[in-house]
Amino acid sequence: MGETEMKYRKLGKTGLEVSALSFGASSLGSVFRDTDEQESVRTVYEAIDSGINYIDVSPYYGLTKAETVLGKALKDIPRDRYLLSTKAGRYGEHEFDFSHNRILTSLDESLKRLNVDEVDFLFLHDIEFVPAQMILEEAIPALEKLKQSGKIRFAGICGLPLSLFETLLPQIDVDAIISYCHYSLNDTSLLDLLPLLEERNTGLVNASPISMGLLSTRGTPAWHPADPEIKEACLKAAQFCADQGEDIAKLAVQFSTSNERIPTTLVSTANPENIRRNASWVEEPVDERLLSEVLAILEPVHNRTWTSGRPEYNTKIGEA
């Protein structure tokens, strides 16, 4: 199989061209299953060979394992072949530190693990868990300092609740955001945020087209925060696809990557064949009949989400 014809799109005011499908390295940290390090390294090579040019990671994934394994792969890939982002501020399930100095030391630790001198982006990771004051007074100035030092090119924030971005973006100047589980077959509420992002020319990275495993015949992992009704509808949709001889993951990837207003969508795997297949799906035409049937099954739970972090960020967009 030859190299995939990947689509590329501009990422906000950064001017960077990112692949419509990008690689989320969380799987390399064994966060979903036990992984083989050599297979993980091969997955990164395969992602690059498939036309993917943007990789995202965090020290939180596998408690630094994902960064360490990714760093082993990146040693042998020319630096001009990929854009790289990592994160700072979240270090464990309940461990957050967005203080100025910790952001600075966190990046230095990440650079060592990743075997690079700079990253293209540093995102503040899951900021909905701390008061806005900490982000505004400590973390954002640290990002500015890192930009000036040349260790990062661009800065961003990420989190689950969309009202988080609605609240904070008017108060800070960031280059990009990562939003997850809000542009997928079951939830397209990210569309409500696009006018604000486009007005500010803020880059957008969409993550988790399968909604952290919701859209799967395997059933959702026990830790998944969605309510039983959402889980049931998503499982029903996945099973419907399987009964037609189709994989809902394919439909989900095609759906999320086909919207021109969403520059890139992150998928995560530690399997080389999986990432190759995901990349090839981007270029295949969507089965419109299947898509409309699946959207009809998911209609009762459309745009239903779950809470994450502090109550002030968990209002509906427009009500923040």
Side-chain angles (χ1 to χ4, degrees), residues 85-134:
S85 66
T86 191
K87 306 187 185 79
R90 183 169 199 177
Y91 305 102
E93 193 180 349
H94 305 292
E95 192 186 333
F96 298 90
D97 187 346
F98 290 94
S99 64
H100 185 276
N101 287 345
R102 183 65 187 113
I103 300 290
L104 302 183
T105 58
S106 180
L107 178 71
D108 283 338
E109 292 162 12
S110 290
L111 293 175
K112 275 200 191 78
R113 286 190 288 265
L114 291 164
N115 287 307
V116 293
D117 300 322
E118 49 123 49
V119 291
D120 298 284
F121 294 89
L122 183 65
F123 288 95
L124 301 175
H125 198 176
D126 292 346
I127 60 175
E128 70 264 31
F129 288 92
V130 297
Q133 187 181 2
M134 171 63 82

mmCIF file of all heavy atoms in Angstrom, residues 85-134:
data_model
loop_
_atom_site.group_PDB
_atom_site.id
_atom_site.type_symbol
_atom_site.label_atom_id
_atom_site.label_comp_id
_atom_site.label_asym_id
_atom_site.label_seq_id
_atom_site.Cartn_x
_atom_site.Cartn_y
_atom_site.Cartn_z
ATOM 1 N N SER A 85 3.440 18.729 19.873
ATOM 2 C CA SER A 85 2.947 19.455 21.052
ATOM 3 C C SER A 85 3.008 18.552 22.262
ATOM 4 O O SER A 85 2.797 17.336 22.173
ATOM 5 C CB SER A 85 1.506 19.952 20.846
ATOM 6 O OG SER A 85 0.583 18.900 20.738
ATOM 7 N N THR A 86 3.310 19.165 23.407
ATOM 8 C CA THR A 86 3.137 18.479 24.675
ATOM 9 C C THR A 86 2.379 19.427 25.601
ATOM 10 O O THR A 86 1.942 20.501 25.190
ATOM 11 C CB THR A 86 4.456 17.967 25.273
ATOM 12 O OG1 THR A 86 4.137 17.080 26.374
ATOM 13 C CG2 THR A 86 5.374 19.077 25.755
ATOM 14 N N LYS A 87 2.204 18.985 26.835
ATOM 15 C CA LYS A 87 1.346 19.743 27.744
ATOM 16 C C LYS A 87 2.058 19.921 29.082
ATOM 17 O O LYS A 87 3.092 19.303 29.340
ATOM 18 C CB LYS A 87 0.019 19.005 27.933
ATOM 19 C CG LYS A 87 -0.685 18.688 26.606
ATOM 20 C CD LYS A 87 -2.064 18.115 26.828
ATOM 21 C CE LYS A 87 -2.715 17.684 25.525
ATOM 22 N NZ LYS A 87 -2.217 16.382 25.056
ATOM 23 N N ALA A 88 1.459 20.753 29.931
ATOM 24 C CA ALA A 88 1.990 20.958 31.280
ATOM 25 C C ALA A 88 0.829 21.276 32.205
ATOM 26 O O ALA A 88 -0.203 21.784 31.762
ATOM 27 C CB ALA A 88 3.001 22.103 31.287
ATOM 28 N N GLY A 89 0.999 20.969 33.478
ATOM 29 C CA GLY A 89 -0.009 21.331 34.472
ATOM 30 C C GLY A 89 -0.754 20.167 35.079
ATOM 31 O O GLY A 89 -1.201 20.234 36.215
ATOM 32 N N ARG A 90 -0.890 19.072 34.320
ATOM 33 C CA ARG A 90 -1.550 17.879 34.855
ATOM 34 C C ARG A 90 -0.538 16.736 34.883
ATOM 35 O O ARG A 90 0.064 16.408 33.869
ATOM 36 C CB ARG A 90 -2.756 17.476 34.010
ATOM 37 C CG ARG A 90 -3.486 16.291 34.616
ATOM 38 C CD ARG A 90 -4.829 15.979 34.014
ATOM 39 N NE ARG A 90 -5.582 15.157 34.969
ATOM 40 C CZ ARG A 90 -6.824 14.749 34.807
ATOM 41 N NH1 ARG A 90 -7.507 15.100 33.738
ATOM 42 N NH2 ARG A 90 -7.422 14.006 35.725
ATOM 43 N N TYR A 91 -0.415 16.116 36.056
ATOM 44 C CA TYR A 91 0.614 15.077 36.221
ATOM 45 C C TYR A 91 0.076 13.775 36.803
ATOM 46 O O TYR A 91 0.806 12.803 36.945
ATOM 47 C CB TYR A 91 1.756 15.624 37.101
ATOM 48 C CG TYR A 91 2.299 16.902 36.504
ATOM 49 C CD1 TYR A 91 1.943 18.142 37.028
ATOM 50 C CD2 TYR A 91 3.086 16.876 35.359
ATOM 51 C CE1 TYR A 91 2.388 19.320 36.439
ATOM 52 C CE2 TYR A 91 3.538 18.044 34.754
ATOM 53 C CZ TYR A 91 3.176 19.258 35.302
ATOM 54 O OH TYR A 91 3.606 20.417 34.712
ATOM 55 N N GLY A 92 -1.191 13.741 37.135
ATOM 56 C CA GLY A 92 -1.816 12.532 37.663
ATOM 57 C C GLY A 92 -3.315 12.739 37.660
ATOM 58 O O GLY A 92 -3.793 13.823 37.320
ATOM 59 N N GLU A 93 -4.048 11.714 38.037
ATOM 60 C CA GLU A 93 -5.511 11.820 37.977
ATOM 61 C C GLU A 93 -6.020 13.022 38.780
ATOM 62 O O GLU A 93 -6.927 13.728 38.371
ATOM 63 C CB GLU A 93 -6.159 10.527 38.489
ATOM 64 C CG GLU A 93 -7.634 10.474 38.161
ATOM 65 C CD GLU A 93 -8.316 9.199 38.660
ATOM 66 O OE1 GLU A 93 -7.607 8.257 39.070
ATOM 67 O OE2 GLU A 93 -9.558 9.172 38.641
ATOM 68 N N HIS A 94 -5.392 13.230 39.949
ATOM 69 C CA HIS A 94 -5.815 14.360 40.792
ATOM 70 C C HIS A 94 -4.640 15.291 41.090
ATOM 71 O O HIS A 94 -4.652 16.004 42.085
ATOM 72 C CB HIS A 94 -6.413 13.840 42.115
ATOM 73 C CG HIS A 94 -7.534 12.875 41.901
ATOM 74 N ND1 HIS A 94 -8.757 13.257 41.372
ATOM 75 C CD2 HIS A 94 -7.615 11.533 42.109
ATOM 76 C CE1 HIS A 94 -9.546 12.189 41.280
ATOM 77 N NE2 HIS A 94 -8.878 11.133 41.710
ATOM 78 N N GLU A 95 -3.649 15.266 40.235
ATOM 79 C CA GLU A 95 -2.433 16.053 40.499
ATOM 80 C C GLU A 95 -2.288 17.162 39.458
ATOM 81 O O GLU A 95 -2.019 16.898 38.283
ATOM 82 C CB GLU A 95 -1.207 15.124 40.453
ATOM 83 C CG GLU A 95 0.047 15.754 40.990
ATOM 84 C CD GLU A 95 1.275 14.862 40.785
ATOM 85 O OE1 GLU A 95 1.131 13.622 40.717
ATOM 86 O OE2 GLU A 95 2.355 15.444 40.651
ATOM 87 N N PHE A 96 -2.473 18.386 39.922
ATOM 88 C CA PHE A 96 -2.397 19.551 39.034
ATOM 89 C C PHE A 96 -1.449 20.578 39.645
ATOM 90 O O PHE A 96 -1.496 20.820 40.842
ATOM 91 C CB PHE A 96 -3.784 20.197 38.872
ATOM 92 C CG PHE A 96 -4.790 19.272 38.238
ATOM 93 C CD1 PHE A 96 -5.578 18.440 39.023
ATOM 94 C CD2 PHE A 96 -4.943 19.221 36.863
ATOM 95 C CE1 PHE A 96 -6.500 17.569 38.449
ATOM 96 C CE2 PHE A 96 -5.860 18.362 36.280
ATOM 97 C CZ PHE A 96 -6.639 17.537 37.075
ATOM 98 N N ASP A 97 -0.617 21.167 38.804
ATOM 99 C CA ASP A 97 0.250 22.258 39.265
ATOM 100 C C ASP A 97 0.497 23.204 38.091
ATOM 101 O O ASP A 97 1.280 22.897 37.194
ATOM 102 C CB ASP A 97 1.577 21.701 39.807
ATOM 103 C CG ASP A 97 2.427 22.789 40.462
ATOM 104 O OD1 ASP A 97 2.117 23.999 40.264
ATOM 105 O OD2 ASP A 97 3.405 22.446 41.150
ATOM 106 N N PHE A 98 -0.224 24.322 38.109
ATOM 107 C CA PHE A 98 -0.088 25.311 37.033
ATOM 108 C C PHE A 98 0.717 26.527 37.479
ATOM 109 O O PHE A 98 0.602 27.595 36.896
ATOM 110 C CB PHE A 98 -1.483 25.741 36.548
ATOM 111 C CG PHE A 98 -2.213 24.662 35.795
ATOM 112 C CD1 PHE A 98 -3.101 23.810 36.440
ATOM 113 C CD2 PHE A 98 -2.007 24.483 34.430
ATOM 114 C CE1 PHE A 98 -3.776 22.809 35.743
ATOM 115 C CE2 PHE A 98 -2.680 23.487 33.725
ATOM 116 C CZ PHE A 98 -3.559 22.644 34.376
ATOM 117 N N SER A 99 1.524 26.352 38.540
ATOM 118 C CA SER A 99 2.343 27.477 39.003
ATOM 119 C C SER A 99 3.403 27.803 37.953
ATOM 120 O O SER A 99 3.829 26.939 37.172
ATOM 121 C CB SER A 99 2.990 27.153 40.347
ATOM 122 O OG SER A 99 3.884 26.065 40.197
ATOM 123 N N HIS A 100 3.812 29.061 37.941
ATOM 124 C CA HIS A 100 4.756 29.580 36.941
ATOM 125 C C HIS A 100 6.007 28.699 36.829
ATOM 126 O O HIS A 100 6.361 28.221 35.747
ATOM 127 C CB HIS A 100 5.123 31.018 37.342
ATOM 128 C CG HIS A 100 5.982 31.726 36.347
ATOM 129 N ND1 HIS A 100 7.354 31.584 36.317
ATOM 130 C CD2 HIS A 100 5.667 32.589 35.340
ATOM 131 C CE1 HIS A 100 7.850 32.342 35.338
ATOM 132 N NE2 HIS A 100 6.857 32.952 34.728
ATOM 133 N N ASN A 101 6.634 28.433 37.975
ATOM 134 C CA ASN A 101 7.903 27.688 37.940
ATOM 135 C C ASN A 101 7.711 26.237 37.519
ATOM 136 O O ASN A 101 8.566 25.670 36.836
ATOM 137 C CB ASN A 101 8.613 27.758 39.304
ATOM 138 C CG ASN A 101 9.202 29.135 39.529
ATOM 139 O OD1 ASN A 101 9.320 29.933 38.585
ATOM 140 N ND2 ASN A 101 9.557 29.446 40.773
ATOM 141 N N ARG A 102 6.586 25.652 37.921
ATOM 142 C CA ARG A 102 6.362 24.235 37.557
ATOM 143 C C ARG A 102 6.145 24.096 36.056
ATOM 144 O O ARG A 102 6.580 23.101 35.460
ATOM 145 C CB ARG A 102 5.164 23.654 38.330
ATOM 146 C CG ARG A 102 4.940 22.166 38.047
ATOM 147 C CD ARG A 102 6.115 21.323 38.543
ATOM 148 N NE ARG A 102 6.027 19.921 38.141
ATOM 149 C CZ ARG A 102 6.853 19.323 37.281
ATOM 150 N NH1 ARG A 102 7.833 20.002 36.708
ATOM 151 N NH2 ARG A 102 6.716 18.032 37.011
ATOM 152 N N ILE A 103 5.493 25.075 35.430
ATOM 153 C CA ILE A 103 5.312 25.026 33.974
ATOM 154 C C ILE A 103 6.688 25.045 33.293
ATOM 155 O O ILE A 103 6.945 24.286 32.356
ATOM 156 C CB ILE A 103 4.446 26.214 33.467
ATOM 157 C CG1 ILE A 103 3.054 26.192 34.100
ATOM 158 C CG2 ILE A 103 4.362 26.223 31.943
ATOM 159 C CD1 ILE A 103 2.126 25.099 33.674
ATOM 160 N N LEU A 104 7.581 25.900 33.794
ATOM 161 C CA LEU A 104 8.925 26.005 33.191
ATOM 162 C C LEU A 104 9.712 24.706 33.353
ATOM 163 O O LEU A 104 10.302 24.202 32.393
ATOM 164 C CB LEU A 104 9.707 27.166 33.828
ATOM 165 C CG LEU A 104 9.080 28.570 33.742
ATOM 166 C CD1 LEU A 104 10.020 29.607 34.365
ATOM 167 C CD2 LEU A 104 8.763 28.956 32.301
ATOM 168 N N THR A 105 9.729 24.142 34.571
ATOM 169 C CA THR A 105 10.500 22.910 34.791
ATOM 170 C C THR A 105 9.855 21.731 34.074
ATOM 171 O O THR A 105 10.548 20.836 33.579
ATOM 172 C CB THR A 105 10.637 22.578 36.298
ATOM 173 O OG1 THR A 105 9.336 22.439 36.876
ATOM 174 C CG2 THR A 105 11.407 23.661 37.035
ATOM 175 N N SER A 106 8.518 21.742 33.999
ATOM 176 C CA SER A 106 7.807 20.654 33.326
ATOM 177 C C SER A 106 8.237 20.562 31.864
ATOM 178 O O SER A 106 8.495 19.470 31.346
ATOM 179 C CB SER A 106 6.299 20.921 33.416
ATOM 180 O OG SER A 106 5.575 19.894 32.782
ATOM 181 N N LEU A 107 8.318 21.703 31.199
ATOM 182 C CA LEU A 107 8.716 21.672 29.791
ATOM 183 C C LEU A 107 10.139 21.147 29.645
ATOM 184 O O LEU A 107 10.410 20.325 28.757
ATOM 185 C CB LEU A 107 8.596 23.048 29.132
ATOM 186 C CG LEU A 107 9.066 23.001 27.671
ATOM 187 C CD1 LEU A 107 8.088 22.233 26.786
ATOM 188 C CD2 LEU A 107 9.328 24.374 27.098
ATOM 189 N N ASP A 108 11.051 21.586 30.498
ATOM 190 C CA ASP A 108 12.444 21.106 30.410
ATOM 191 C C ASP A 108 12.502 19.578 30.539
ATOM 192 O O ASP A 108 13.230 18.905 29.812
ATOM 193 C CB ASP A 108 13.318 21.760 31.485
ATOM 194 C CG ASP A 108 13.682 23.199 31.130
ATOM 195 O OD1 ASP A 108 13.631 23.540 29.927
ATOM 196 O OD2 ASP A 108 13.996 23.976 32.048
ATOM 197 N N GLU A 109 11.702 19.044 31.468
ATOM 198 C CA GLU A 109 11.656 17.584 31.652
ATOM 199 C C GLU A 109 11.106 16.913 30.390
ATOM 200 O O GLU A 109 11.619 15.866 29.957
ATOM 201 C CB GLU A 109 10.770 17.240 32.857
ATOM 202 C CG GLU A 109 11.363 17.673 34.188
ATOM 203 C CD GLU A 109 10.325 17.731 35.313
ATOM 204 O OE1 GLU A 109 9.203 17.226 35.120
ATOM 205 O OE2 GLU A 109 10.646 18.288 36.378
ATOM 206 N N SER A 110 10.060 17.512 29.807
ATOM 207 C CA SER A 110 9.464 16.940 28.590
ATOM 208 C C SER A 110 10.456 16.948 27.429
ATOM 209 O O SER A 110 10.557 15.966 26.685
ATOM 210 C CB SER A 110 8.203 17.721 28.203
ATOM 211 O OG SER A 110 7.167 17.486 29.124
ATOM 212 N N LEU A 111 11.169 18.050 27.259
ATOM 213 C CA LEU A 111 12.135 18.149 26.154
ATOM 214 C C LEU A 111 13.178 17.033 26.253
ATOM 215 O O LEU A 111 13.550 16.428 25.242
ATOM 216 C CB LEU A 111 12.819 19.521 26.149
ATOM 217 C CG LEU A 111 11.931 20.731 25.814
ATOM 218 C CD1 LEU A 111 12.724 22.031 25.967
ATOM 219 C CD2 LEU A 111 11.335 20.636 24.411
ATOM 220 N N LYS A 112 13.636 16.767 27.466
ATOM 221 C CA LYS A 112 14.633 15.679 27.666
ATOM 222 C C LYS A 112 14.046 14.331 27.249
ATOM 223 O O LYS A 112 14.674 13.558 26.532
ATOM 224 C CB LYS A 112 15.052 15.617 29.146
ATOM 225 C CG LYS A 112 16.155 16.571 29.527
ATOM 226 C CD LYS A 112 16.826 16.085 30.826
ATOM 227 C CE LYS A 112 17.753 17.152 31.392
ATOM 228 N NZ LYS A 112 17.037 18.239 32.093
ATOM 229 N N ARG A 113 12.829 14.064 27.734
ATOM 230 C CA ARG A 113 12.204 12.770 27.415
ATOM 231 C C ARG A 113 11.945 12.641 25.919
ATOM 232 O O ARG A 113 12.054 11.554 25.355
ATOM 233 C CB ARG A 113 10.884 12.609 28.185
ATOM 234 C CG ARG A 113 11.059 12.316 29.660
ATOM 235 C CD ARG A 113 9.761 11.933 30.323
ATOM 236 N NE ARG A 113 8.861 13.051 30.483
ATOM 237 C CZ ARG A 113 8.759 13.802 31.590
ATOM 238 N NH1 ARG A 113 9.518 13.532 32.638
ATOM 239 N NH2 ARG A 113 7.895 14.798 31.649
ATOM 240 N N LEU A 114 11.593 13.750 25.278
ATOM 241 C CA LEU A 114 11.221 13.718 23.859
ATOM 242 C C LEU A 114 12.425 13.803 22.918
ATOM 243 O O LEU A 114 12.268 13.680 21.695
ATOM 244 C CB LEU A 114 10.251 14.869 23.561
ATOM 245 C CG LEU A 114 8.853 14.733 24.190
ATOM 246 C CD1 LEU A 114 8.121 16.071 24.183
ATOM 247 C CD2 LEU A 114 8.033 13.672 23.461
ATOM 248 N N ASN A 115 13.602 14.049 23.469
ATOM 249 C CA ASN A 115 14.818 14.163 22.645
ATOM 250 C C ASN A 115 14.736 15.290 21.622
ATOM 251 O O ASN A 115 15.169 15.144 20.479
ATOM 252 C CB ASN A 115 15.124 12.836 21.902
ATOM 253 C CG ASN A 115 15.651 11.777 22.852
ATOM 254 O OD1 ASN A 115 16.606 12.013 23.568
ATOM 255 N ND2 ASN A 115 14.997 10.631 22.862
ATOM 256 N N VAL A 116 14.146 16.419 22.029
ATOM 257 C CA VAL A 116 14.078 17.585 21.144
ATOM 258 C C VAL A 116 14.510 18.830 21.922
ATOM 259 O O VAL A 116 14.506 18.839 23.154
ATOM 260 C CB VAL A 116 12.651 17.799 20.564
ATOM 261 C CG1 VAL A 116 12.270 16.673 19.611
ATOM 262 C CG2 VAL A 116 11.610 17.946 21.675
ATOM 263 N N ASP A 117 14.869 19.880 21.197
ATOM 264 C CA ASP A 117 15.287 21.142 21.829
ATOM 265 C C ASP A 117 14.128 22.100 22.016
ATOM 266 O O ASP A 117 14.211 23.034 22.809
ATOM 267 C CB ASP A 117 16.356 21.839 20.970
ATOM 268 C CG ASP A 117 17.597 20.972 20.803
ATOM 269 O OD1 ASP A 117 17.958 20.308 21.791
ATOM 270 O OD2 ASP A 117 18.170 20.947 19.694
ATOM 271 N N GLU A 118 13.070 21.910 21.236
ATOM 272 C CA GLU A 118 11.893 22.785 21.342
ATOM 273 C C GLU A 118 10.671 22.000 20.893
ATOM 274 O O GLU A 118 10.801 21.019 20.174
ATOM 275 C CB GLU A 118 12.051 24.041 20.471
ATOM 276 C CG GLU A 118 12.477 23.783 19.035
ATOM 277 C CD GLU A 118 11.530 24.334 17.965
ATOM 278 O OE1 GLU A 118 11.165 25.504 18.071
ATOM 279 O OE2 GLU A 118 11.183 23.578 17.043
ATOM 280 N N VAL A 119 9.498 22.465 21.352
ATOM 281 C CA VAL A 119 8.248 21.904 20.824
ATOM 282 C C VAL A 119 7.522 23.014 20.084
ATOM 283 O O VAL A 119 7.728 24.197 20.347
ATOM 284 C CB VAL A 119 7.339 21.297 21.928
ATOM 285 C CG1 VAL A 119 7.963 20.043 22.517
ATOM 286 C CG2 VAL A 119 7.010 22.315 23.017
ATOM 287 N N ASP A 120 6.685 22.622 19.157
ATOM 288 C CA ASP A 120 5.929 23.625 18.400
ATOM 289 C C ASP A 120 4.832 24.242 19.260
ATOM 290 O O ASP A 120 4.554 25.431 19.148
ATOM 291 C CB ASP A 120 5.345 22.978 17.138
ATOM 292 C CG ASP A 120 6.473 22.467 16.241
ATOM 293 O OD1 ASP A 120 7.113 23.295 15.582
ATOM 294 O OD2 ASP A 120 6.742 21.253 16.252
ATOM 295 N N PHE A 121 4.229 23.418 20.136
ATOM 296 C CA PHE A 121 3.151 23.899 21.003
ATOM 297 C C PHE A 121 3.339 23.369 22.413
ATOM 298 O O PHE A 121 3.719 22.211 22.598
ATOM 299 C CB PHE A 121 1.784 23.367 20.532
ATOM 300 C CG PHE A 121 1.347 23.880 19.200
ATOM 301 C CD1 PHE A 121 1.702 23.205 18.038
ATOM 302 C CD2 PHE A 121 0.558 25.025 19.096
ATOM 303 C CE1 PHE A 121 1.294 23.673 16.796
ATOM 304 C CE2 PHE A 121 0.149 25.488 17.860
ATOM 305 C CZ PHE A 121 0.517 24.820 16.706
ATOM 306 N N LEU A 122 2.996 24.208 23.384
ATOM 307 C CA LEU A 122 2.819 23.735 24.750
ATOM 308 C C LEU A 122 1.406 24.121 25.177
ATOM 309 O O LEU A 122 1.022 25.289 25.120
ATOM 310 C CB LEU A 122 3.845 24.352 25.704
ATOM 311 C CG LEU A 122 3.760 23.824 27.153
ATOM 312 C CD1 LEU A 122 4.102 22.330 27.218
ATOM 313 C CD2 LEU A 122 4.682 24.607 28.085
ATOM 314 N N PHE A 123 0.618 23.107 25.553
ATOM 315 C CA PHE A 123 -0.762 23.330 26.000
ATOM 316 C C PHE A 123 -0.840 23.176 27.515
ATOM 317 O O PHE A 123 -0.201 22.282 28.080
ATOM 318 C CB PHE A 123 -1.709 22.308 25.358
ATOM 319 C CG PHE A 123 -1.951 22.530 23.895
ATOM 320 C CD1 PHE A 123 -1.194 21.847 22.939
ATOM 321 C CD2 PHE A 123 -2.928 23.410 23.450
ATOM 322 C CE1 PHE A 123 -1.410 22.045 21.577
ATOM 323 C CE2 PHE A 123 -3.159 23.617 22.097
ATOM 324 C CZ PHE A 123 -2.393 22.933 21.155
ATOM 325 N N LEU A 124 -1.627 24.025 28.152
ATOM 326 C CA LEU A 124 -1.954 23.838 29.565
ATOM 327 C C LEU A 124 -3.034 22.768 29.632
ATOM 328 O O LEU A 124 -4.079 22.894 29.002
ATOM 329 C CB LEU A 124 -2.444 25.158 30.171
ATOM 330 C CG LEU A 124 -1.446 26.327 30.083
ATOM 331 C CD1 LEU A 124 -2.094 27.614 30.606
ATOM 332 C CD2 LEU A 124 -0.154 26.018 30.836
ATOM 333 N N HIS A 125 -2.777 21.712 30.406
ATOM 334 C CA HIS A 125 -3.544 20.464 30.317
ATOM 335 C C HIS A 125 -4.711 20.416 31.307
ATOM 336 O O HIS A 125 -4.514 20.414 32.512
ATOM 337 C CB HIS A 125 -2.590 19.283 30.574
ATOM 338 C CG HIS A 125 -3.125 17.972 30.110
ATOM 339 N ND1 HIS A 125 -2.393 16.805 30.178
ATOM 340 C CD2 HIS A 125 -4.316 17.622 29.561
ATOM 341 C CE1 HIS A 125 -3.114 15.810 29.688
ATOM 342 N NE2 HIS A 125 -4.285 16.286 29.325
ATOM 343 N N ASP A 126 -5.937 20.386 30.771
ATOM 344 C CA ASP A 126 -7.162 20.223 31.577
ATOM 345 C C ASP A 126 -7.299 21.325 32.628
ATOM 346 O O ASP A 126 -7.394 21.053 33.834
ATOM 347 C CB ASP A 126 -7.200 18.831 32.227
ATOM 348 C CG ASP A 126 -7.381 17.726 31.190
ATOM 349 O OD1 ASP A 126 -7.738 18.048 30.043
ATOM 350 O OD2 ASP A 126 -7.152 16.551 31.531
ATOM 351 N N ILE A 127 -7.367 22.556 32.139
ATOM 352 C CA ILE A 127 -7.353 23.700 33.057
ATOM 353 C C ILE A 127 -8.670 23.898 33.805
ATOM 354 O O ILE A 127 -8.739 24.716 34.715
ATOM 355 C CB ILE A 127 -6.959 25.005 32.322
ATOM 356 C CG1 ILE A 127 -7.944 25.330 31.196
ATOM 357 C CG2 ILE A 127 -5.545 24.922 31.802
ATOM 358 C CD1 ILE A 127 -7.670 26.661 30.526
ATOM 359 N N GLU A 128 -9.706 23.114 33.466
ATOM 360 C CA GLU A 128 -10.988 23.280 34.161
ATOM 361 C C GLU A 128 -10.934 22.841 35.624
ATOM 362 O O GLU A 128 -11.879 23.053 36.381
ATOM 363 C CB GLU A 128 -12.114 22.522 33.437
ATOM 364 C CG GLU A 128 -12.041 21.007 33.503
ATOM 365 C CD GLU A 128 -11.367 20.378 32.284
ATOM 366 O OE1 GLU A 128 -10.472 21.025 31.714
ATOM 367 O OE2 GLU A 128 -11.737 19.245 31.923
ATOM 368 N N PHE A 129 -9.814 22.212 36.027
ATOM 369 C CA PHE A 129 -9.718 21.711 37.404
ATOM 370 C C PHE A 129 -9.148 22.738 38.381
ATOM 371 O O PHE A 129 -9.053 22.463 39.569
ATOM 372 C CB PHE A 129 -8.886 20.426 37.439
ATOM 373 C CG PHE A 129 -9.609 19.250 36.843
ATOM 374 C CD1 PHE A 129 -9.455 18.938 35.498
ATOM 375 C CD2 PHE A 129 -10.474 18.482 37.610
ATOM 376 C CE1 PHE A 129 -10.142 17.870 34.924
ATOM 377 C CE2 PHE A 129 -11.168 17.414 37.048
ATOM 378 C CZ PHE A 129 -11.007 17.114 35.711
ATOM 379 N N VAL A 130 -8.735 23.898 37.877
ATOM 380 C CA VAL A 130 -8.145 24.901 38.780
ATOM 381 C C VAL A 130 -8.830 26.256 38.570
ATOM 382 O O VAL A 130 -9.408 26.503 37.516
ATOM 383 C CB VAL A 130 -6.618 25.040 38.558
ATOM 384 C CG1 VAL A 130 -5.897 23.743 38.879
ATOM 385 C CG2 VAL A 130 -6.300 25.508 37.145
ATOM 386 N N PRO A 131 -8.754 27.137 39.577
ATOM 387 C CA PRO A 131 -9.368 28.459 39.417
ATOM 388 C C PRO A 131 -8.728 29.233 38.258
ATOM 389 O O PRO A 131 -7.523 29.125 38.019
ATOM 390 C CB PRO A 131 -9.079 29.150 40.759
ATOM 391 C CG PRO A 131 -8.747 28.051 41.715
ATOM 392 C CD PRO A 131 -8.145 26.950 40.914
ATOM 393 N N ALA A 132 -9.538 30.019 37.583
ATOM 394 C CA ALA A 132 -9.053 30.796 36.433
ATOM 395 C C ALA A 132 -7.892 31.706 36.813
ATOM 396 O O ALA A 132 -6.970 31.927 36.021
ATOM 397 C CB ALA A 132 -10.204 31.622 35.865
ATOM 398 N N GLN A 133 -7.914 32.202 38.028
ATOM 399 C CA GLN A 133 -6.865 33.126 38.490
ATOM 400 C C GLN A 133 -5.469 32.496 38.369
ATOM 401 O O GLN A 133 -4.511 33.161 37.967
ATOM 402 C CB GLN A 133 -7.162 33.491 39.952
ATOM 403 C CG GLN A 133 -6.253 34.565 40.511
ATOM 404 C CD GLN A 133 -6.591 34.869 41.978
ATOM 405 O OE1 GLN A 133 -7.479 34.245 42.567
ATOM 406 N NE2 GLN A 133 -5.890 35.824 42.554
ATOM 407 N N MET A 134 -5.380 31.203 38.710
ATOM 408 C CA MET A 134 -4.092 30.503 38.605
ATOM 409 C C MET A 134 -3.606 30.473 37.157
ATOM 410 O O MET A 134 -2.421 30.686 36.859
ATOM 411 C CB MET A 134 -4.241 29.077 39.165
ATOM 412 C CG MET A 134 -3.058 28.165 38.923
ATOM 413 S SD MET A 134 -1.528 28.702 39.728
ATOM 414 C CE MET A 134 -1.760 28.081 41.385
#
